[in-house]
Amino acid sequence: MLKGGVDPTTGAPYEGQIGLTCAACHTGHLEYKNVSIRFDGGPAMVNLGDVERVIGLSIGYTLMLPWRFERFASKLERIKGQSVDRKQIRGDLELALQKIKNQKAAADRLMTGQGVADLDEGFGRLDALNRMGNQVFYTSLLDPATGELRDPLLKGNFARHDAPVSFPPIWDTPYFLWAQYDASVLNELVRNSGEALGVSATINMTAAAPGRPLFASSIHLSEIARFEELLRGADPFSAGDASRGKFTGLVAPNGRTRRRNSAVTRPGRLMKSSSNKVAILSRSLL
């Protein structure tokens, strides 16, 4: 969740937002004989293209079906503990849906003009670099109210999704000198800052203004650095045994499991709980 703050581009306040974190792509999950197994830091099987389409359809159906809109507004009232302005909520949803439509139409026109189309990434795969680049150098520069192009030159910043790759496990990533599949990022702090921007953290890419310097962003770099150091753990390429002792960072699953309804752990076997949920102890924060 992105807490509310001030947009470094416009200076206007924005409300808290819910979105994806690193865990969306780097949390593995298996289902086997009614047992659910999660391993943190492993490759996910999510299809983000389908997630995007479902979100757009959900907003559209909420606006089209009166009973669905009423259910949505009533739930907001229960969450807030007070009545809400249904007219404003409907207007906000209509604006959000129109921005999605405008961005989709603009991207389709760009690709049609180039005679290309996005590749279907599918489950467990993503063209992360092009997605991040599009968000930072194209989408974040669109008109914030309409989602339309403000400068025709921005068309050159757009790239289709044409290089999807499987999500890698990230247990040893902090010990690589270069990150990403194409070795394009020198360290993990730069890489994770790019990922934060790629999932809609705000950044001033236009012009400096009082209190809003160029390239100021809503990213909390000190927090990212703190998490990186916590998850780094012992060097997996050293001669030492990184599996001993207390929490030492994110490492690959070692076969130990924990029942969701119990603190008991046993090595080397899966333990089926009453809720049929089993979690691998992968020493992560998730």
Side-chain angles (χ1 to χ4, degrees):
M1 180 174 179
L2 176 64
K3 294 182 179 180
V6 176
D7 189 324
T9 301
T10 65
Y14 59 82
E15 297 182 350
Q17 302 171 44
I18 295 176
L20 301 175
T21 69
C22 307
C25 301
H26 300 293
T27 303
H29 186 87
L30 296 174
E31 299 283 341
Y32 179 72
K33 292 186 177 180
N34 296 323
V35 175
S36 178
I37 305 172
R38 188 190 75 184
F39 45 102
D40 300 321
M45 288 302 295
V46 66
N47 184 334
L48 285 181
D50 279 353
V51 171
E52 292 169 338
R53 286 186 283 271
V54 167
I55 290 174
L57 289 171
S58 297
I59 297 174
Y61 285 137
T62 300
L63 288 169
M64 291 172 56
L65 303 174
W67 59 267
R68 181 163 177 155
F69 177 82
E70 182 58 31
R71 184 179 65 185
F72 175 69
S74 297
K75 190 168 185 178
L76 281 180
E77 289 180 331
R78 291 196 299 272
I79 293 173
K80 290 177 171 289
Q82 62 185 32
S83 61
V84 297
D85 186 339
R86 282 163 167 71
K87 184 177 181 180
Q88 180 176 348
I89 291 174
R90 178 172 288 276
D92 290 343
L93 286 175
E94 290 174 345
L95 178 60
L97 184 60
Q98 190 58 51
K99 287 177 64 175
I100 292 173
K101 289 180 177 179
N102 289 345
Q103 290 182 23
K104 179 67 167 59
D108 287 346
R109 286 194 298 269
L110 288 175
M111 288 189 287
T112 299
Q114 298 170 9
V116 298
D118 280 335
L119 293 181
D120 185 10
E121 295 158 309
F123 290 95
R125 291 166 61 84
L126 193 73
D127 186 357
L129 284 178
N130 275 338
R131 280 178 171 268
M132 284 188 251
N134 284 345
Q135 178 64 39
V136 176
F137 301 111
Y138 175 78
T139 305
S140 65
L141 297 173
L142 299 176
D143 188 293
T146 65
E148 297 179 340
L149 282 169
R150 291 186 290 186
D151 186 340
L153 292 177
L154 292 177
K155 294 188 295 184
N157 290 351
F158 181 84
R160 70 176 182 131
H161 305 158
D162 63 354
V165 295
S166 300
F167 301 119
I170 58 173
W171 302 303
D172 51 6
T173 299
Y175 291 91
F176 292 154
L177 181 60
W178 291 87
Q180 296 292 151
Y181 272 113
D182 63 349
S184 61
V185 182
L186 181 57
N187 66 58
E188 67 276 9
L189 182 59
V190 173
R191 191 265 175 210
N192 285 337
S193 298
E195 181 166 343
L197 292 172
V199 292
S200 302
T202 54
I203 182 171
N204 183 8
M205 296 279 288
T206 54
R212 293 185 283 113
L214 191 63
F215 305 129
S217 76
S218 61
I219 299 174
H220 300 287
L221 285 175
S222 60
E223 293 298 305
I224 292 180
R226 184 171 67 88
F227 285 132
E228 282 292 340
E229 288 303 314
L230 184 61
L231 292 173
R232 181 186 300 274
D235 187 347
F237 301 106
S238 69
D241 184 1
S243 65
R244 297 178 180 175
K246 61 180 182 179
F247 176 82
T248 58
L250 188 64
V251 297
N254 59 12
R256 298 176 63 199
T257 61
R258 174 181 60 200
R259 288 186 293 185
R260 289 285 175 88
N261 62 345
S262 173
V264 176
T265 63
R266 297 177 186 174
R269 59 179 294 194
L270 294 180
M271 299 174 62
K272 188 173 180 181
S273 71
S274 58
S275 60
N276 292 338
K277 297 292 183 180
V278 174
I280 293 287
L281 292 184
S282 57
R283 300 184 183 181
S284 81
L285 294 179
L286 302 177

